């Protein structure tokens, strides 16, 4: 488990349920959620961050 990183699953939102599996042969990393059984990679996390980043920038640019 990723106990030192209590981050939510990008699929179900549950916190502290992820494990990180690193395949040293092809240098890939995959997260597994033990709550919803979702599997996703670092690229999926990047995509979520990019999408939310655009929303945050739009909110910050809105007039007060």
């Amino acid at each position: 488990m990723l106990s030192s990183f209590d981050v939510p699953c990008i699929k179900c939102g549950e916190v502290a349920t992820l494990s990180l599996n690193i395949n040293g042969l092809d240098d890939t990393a995959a997260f597994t959620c033990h709550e919803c059984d979702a599997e996703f990679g670092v690229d999926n996390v990047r995509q979520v961050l990019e999408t939310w980043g655009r929303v945050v920038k739009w909110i910050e640019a809105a007039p007060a």
Side-chain angles (χ1 to χ4, degrees), residues 3 6 9 17 19 23-24 30-31 33 38 40 44-45 48 54 56 62 64:
S3 58
D6 288 338
C9 171
T17 62
S19 61
N23 183 349
F31 296 95
C33 176
F40 51 91
N44 300 113
V45 175
V48 169
R54 289 194 304 264
V56 170

Side-chain angles (χ1 to χ4, degrees), residues 3-64:
S3 58
S4 61
F5 299 101
D6 288 338
V7 295
C9 171
I10 64 170
K11 303 294 183 175
C12 72
E14 194 65 34
V15 177
T17 62
L18 297 176
S19 61
L20 176 61
N21 307 306
I22 299 174
N23 183 349
L25 297 176
D26 58 7
D27 203 29
T28 59
F31 296 95
T32 302
C33 176
H34 298 284
E35 181 68 24
C36 70
D37 293 324
E39 291 185 0
F40 51 91
V42 174
D43 286 339
N44 300 113
V45 175
R46 283 188 187 104
Q47 185 177 37
V48 169
L49 293 172
E50 180 182 325
T51 301
W52 276 106
R54 289 194 304 264
V55 173
V56 170
K57 284 180 184 177
W58 180 83
I59 291 170
E60 291 174 341

